[in-house]
Amino acid sequence: MYMCGILRCMSTDYTTRSSYSFRLPFGVAEVLESLASDLGLSKTQVVSEAIELLNRQHMDALIAQGFAEMAMENRADAQAAMPAAREVSDEW
């Protein structure tokens, strides 16, 4: 099933399930009920899509952090190689 709007996530198969029980604060429960009603989805689908979205944001943040760390390492490697490069090329 493909979601629409802000909850657009990956295709999800809701036929395979694990059973969980949660206690939600009243405000969160009201939002869950409202989203399910407004989007024409089950509460399970809304929760599943929200978790997928949060996981995607978390993974994106980890990837961005990894790229930033790699960029710093690459800059340090390039700076360390500069003296050797100057020895073989007067143009630098």
Side-chain angles (χ1 to χ4, degrees):
M1 170 175 208
Y2 289 95
M3 305 304 303
C4 60
I6 195 165
L7 294 178
R8 181 169 293 240
C9 292
M10 303 181 315
S11 175
T12 305
D13 176 12
Y14 292 104
T15 59
T16 305
R17 298 178 185 205
S18 295
S19 181
Y20 293 93
S21 178
F22 298 98
R23 293 182 186 269
L24 299 173
F26 287 114
V28 174
E30 289 173 358
V31 169
L32 176 59
E33 294 278 349
S34 177
L35 282 171
S37 176
D38 291 350
L39 298 173
L41 302 172
S42 70
K43 290 180 281 187
T44 297
Q45 289 171 316
V46 172
V47 170
S48 179
E49 296 295 333
I51 290 170
E52 288 180 25
L53 180 61
L54 184 59
N55 184 55
R56 182 180 304 142
Q57 291 172 345
H58 176 66
M59 295 304 292
D60 288 349
L62 290 176
I63 290 168
Q65 179 183 355
F67 277 119
E69 290 172 2
M70 286 176 23
M72 287 189 297
E73 289 176 17
N74 289 342
R75 183 177 304 264
D77 289 345
Q79 289 174 342
M82 289 301 290
R86 285 190 188 103
E87 289 179 17
V88 297
S89 175
D90 290 334
E91 297 174 16
W92 290 37

